[in-house]
Amino acid sequence: MVACSHRTGTILTTFKELGVLPEIADALARVDITTPFPIQEMTLSVALMGTDLIGQARTGTGKTLAFGIPVLQRSVAPHDPDYSELAAPGKPQALIVAPTRELAIQVSSDLTLAGSDRGLRILTVYGGVPYEPQLDALIEGVDVVVGTPGRLIDLMDRKCMDISHVKCLVLDEADEMLDLGFLPDVEKLLRNTPETRQTMLFSATMPAAIVGLARMHMRHPMNIRAEHSTDNQTVPATAQFIYQAHDLDKPEMVARMLQAEGADLAIVFTRTKRQAQRVADDLQERGFNASPLHGDMAQTARERALAKFREGKLQVLVATDVAARGIDVSGVTHVVNYTCPEDEKTYVHRIGRTGRAGASGTAVTLVDWADLHRWKMINKALDLPFDEPAETYSSSEHFFHDLGIVPGTKGRLKPPSDSAPAKKSQKSGQRSGQKAAGQKSGRAQSDGKQAAGSESNRRKRNRRRTRGGQGSSPKANSEG
């Protein structure tokens, strides 16, 4: 197995030198991608020959192009001379399976960029959107399909997508598919593709179930790892800060972080969908251009938020873990774990959203008192030096110093909007006054009615006693 050392300032090789087609290399060069990263350099020479491989590398190290370039290069485009010789022209030649919609969209976007001169038809399929556009594309003919397991199985069961002619199958973020319970779906997809296909499996970690999957469905795969097995799993270009924080102080801490020196795009990860919505709403009220990203949002709204974030029109994305693997945006300077991640894998994948492809970044984790034990387990698993996080508040001096926040910075870009609550309070007061007046009036009317009723009863009793000429009392009658 080939070994690769850390990069130096010298260019070791280029994509063209690795055998990449000029039209793909030129498309990448137009966006200033000319030198492959370690996982790409080590993978391409093997994958371009059609060999099965298992690629293990950290999140954010360039895995997409490591399998994307071989997929583009080994697929036959409609304008290629031998396209008509295919067994089933217009049927998918390559299938890329991703665990989340966001990741599928990102992979498809990267393939479209790299293959812009190839003329290949790339289709992205995932749930939460109408079937019709995907069905229409499949009828017209596609060459590469990128999708999530659920929608791929659905289209296959409907007999709308034929994957029996797939020459190359990629499983991206296989460990995440295992965590999400997609392994049976993945195995079903594998069984419906030709045994002679090339299979490439990429994963940040290699649980036993993924190793078993590889043994069963891959033919003598080449194992490729871009770093030594004893290397720290976290992204080395990311500065990590762990603080023990109080839940009520976290909104103010996050708001001040977003104003740190060099802060640009930021992702805040939360544990629940409700928390993501609440934090995003709070940041918006403080004047920050923020948006939530969670599973309760419509797919169109999620895509719109991601598109604005990629274009830099949105500063902060508050997301649940469903988006942790799917966000591949350059320029993310800060990642904030609003709560302690569930485990070390989640931590690595979350902070991998910054410090991508050689860039630097900052990752901040806010740990509640109740989560200290969980954090210590993560710290031990990753061999990090943060076993005892410092108790930290939004006003702590070391908090400002660590993150480069200008002293005196407050957690608001605009003053709180008091007008609406004041009007609401005024209306509430008016309603209370009206209600009180109504109650007084009601009591007065009731008292009047009761008094009138008592007087009427007395008159009635008097009338009954004098009816028939009888006296008002027995004594009077006896005297008369």
Side-chain angles (χ1 to χ4, degrees):
M1 185 173 124
V2 182
C4 180
S5 61
H6 291 289
R7 289 296 178 108
T8 62
T10 59
I11 297 176
L12 302 182
T13 187
T14 65
F15 284 108
K16 288 184 178 180
E17 291 172 347
L18 290 172
V20 176
L21 288 175
E23 50 195 340
I24 297 176
D26 292 343
L28 293 173
R30 287 198 295 270
V31 290
D32 296 327
I33 301 175
T34 56
T35 308
F37 286 99
I39 187 65
Q40 297 165 359
E41 183 177 350
M42 298 168 68
T43 299
L44 288 174
S45 57
V46 177
L48 290 174
M49 296 188 296
T51 305
D52 285 9
L53 63 88
I54 298 172
Q56 188 174 357
R58 295 183 298 244
T59 298
T61 52
K63 293 194 297 288
T64 302
L65 286 182
F67 64 75
I69 291 174
V71 163
L72 295 172
Q73 187 152 324
R74 300 190 70 239
S75 298
V76 183
H79 61 77
D80 290 341
D82 50 352
Y83 183 77
S84 59
E85 298 176 10
L86 291 174
K91 302 297 182 184
Q93 302 173 52
L95 178 64
I96 301 172
V97 188
T100 64
R101 291 174 279 192
E102 287 74 21
L103 183 57
I105 293 169
Q106 183 62 48
V107 169
S108 183
S109 173
D110 290 346
L111 291 184
T112 301
L113 185 149
S116 56
D117 296 341
R118 285 284 290 136
L120 291 166
R121 295 163 295 182
I122 301 171
L123 173 65
T124 315
V125 298
Y126 48 85
V129 295
Y131 283 89
E132 287 73 18
Q134 298 173 6
L135 295 174
D136 292 344
L138 287 167
I139 292 171
E140 292 176 7
V142 298
D143 304 304
V144 179
V145 175
V146 184
T148 53
R151 181 56 67 95
L152 289 171
I153 292 289
D154 199 3
L155 292 171
M156 188 180 71
D157 289 345
R158 289 167 175 249
K159 309 296 183 186
C160 299
M161 184 178 69
D162 180 7
I163 60 173
S164 63
H165 302 281
V166 165
K167 298 184 296 184
C168 180
L169 187 144
V170 179
L171 302 178
D172 190 17
E173 302 288 11
D175 52 350
E176 178 73 358
M177 285 192 271
L178 171 66
D179 292 343
L180 295 174
F182 287 141
L183 211 54
D185 290 341
V186 169
E187 290 180 330
K188 184 175 181 179
L189 290 168
L190 286 165
R191 288 194 299 268
N192 282 272
T193 55
E195 290 186 3
T196 56
R197 70 182 182 273
Q198 177 189 20
T199 306
M200 292 186 280
L201 185 151
F202 285 82
S203 184
T205 59
M206 293 299 296
I210 299 301
V211 175
L213 180 77
R215 287 174 179 169
M216 184 176 296
H217 295 283
M218 301 180 74
R219 298 171 300 155
H220 309 293
M222 174 79 72
N223 287 276
I224 295 176
R225 189 183 177 101
E227 64 277 328
H228 195 271
S229 59
T230 58
D231 283 354
N232 194 300
Q233 297 179 45
T234 55
V235 180
T238 302
Q240 301 170 63
F241 299 96
I242 319 299
Y243 299 123
Q244 187 175 344
H246 194 287
D247 191 60
L248 295 178
D249 194 36
K250 287 181 181 180
E252 184 71 16
M253 293 180 72
V254 172
R256 295 185 182 189
M257 284 181 221
L258 297 176
Q259 301 174 70
E261 182 181 348
D264 190 6
L265 302 181
I267 303 174
V268 180
F269 283 109
T270 62
R271 188 172 293 169
T272 66
K273 294 178 281 189
R274 180 178 296 180
Q275 191 177 58
Q277 187 68 51
R278 177 170 56 82
V279 173
D281 290 344
D282 179 79
L283 289 174
Q284 289 172 1
E285 194 273 332
R286 291 170 178 266
F288 294 92
N289 191 3
S291 172
L293 186 73
H294 54 73
D296 283 348
M297 297 170 62
Q299 181 61 27
T300 51
R302 292 169 67 177
E303 291 178 9
R304 190 162 54 246
L306 270 175
K308 290 175 65 178
F309 190 63
R310 288 193 180 98
E311 294 167 4
K313 297 177 181 177
L314 194 66
Q315 182 194 0
V316 190
L317 206 58
V318 186
T320 54
D321 284 320
V322 69
R325 299 277 185 129
I327 304 173
D328 185 3
V329 180
S330 59
V332 174
T333 59
H334 287 67
V335 165
V336 180
N337 289 312
Y338 197 81
T339 52
C340 181
E342 292 295 324
D343 51 39
E344 68 273 11
K345 288 194 300 180
T346 304
Y347 178 77
V348 171
H349 296 319
R350 281 183 178 184
I351 72 169
R353 299 307 106 197
T354 187
R356 299 181 72 83
S360 60
T362 301
V364 180
T365 300
L366 304 178
V367 181
D368 294 303
W369 270 254
D371 285 333
L372 273 176
H373 180 67
R374 175 183 285 136
W375 168 253
K376 289 185 177 183
M377 293 177 65
I378 294 172
N379 188 79
K380 182 178 180 181
L382 298 176
D383 193 25
L384 297 174
F386 311 112
D387 189 55
E388 296 289 342
E391 184 175 339
T392 306
Y393 297 90
S394 58
S395 57
S396 298
E397 185 178 344
H398 67 270
F399 175 67
F400 282 80
H401 180 267
D402 290 348
L403 300 178
I405 304 171
V406 176
T409 299
K410 301 298 181 185
R412 282 191 172 277
L413 299 181
K414 66 176 185 181
S417 53
D418 295 330
S419 55
K423 290 180 181 178
K424 184 177 179 182
S425 176
Q426 186 178 1
K427 288 182 180 179
S428 176
Q430 289 174 353
R431 285 196 298 269
S432 299
Q434 291 169 358
K435 185 176 179 182
Q439 289 174 346
K440 282 184 179 180
S441 174
R443 283 196 298 270
Q445 290 175 2
S446 176
D447 292 343
K449 287 180 180 179
Q450 289 177 359
S454 299
E455 183 65 28
S456 174
N457 289 337
R458 282 196 296 272
R459 284 198 299 268
K460 286 180 182 178
R461 284 196 297 273
N462 290 339
R463 282 197 297 270
R464 282 198 299 271
R465 288 170 183 167
T466 59
R467 191 169 294 158
Q470 298 296 324
S472 59
S473 67
K475 184 178 180 180
N477 290 338
S478 62
E479 289 176 352

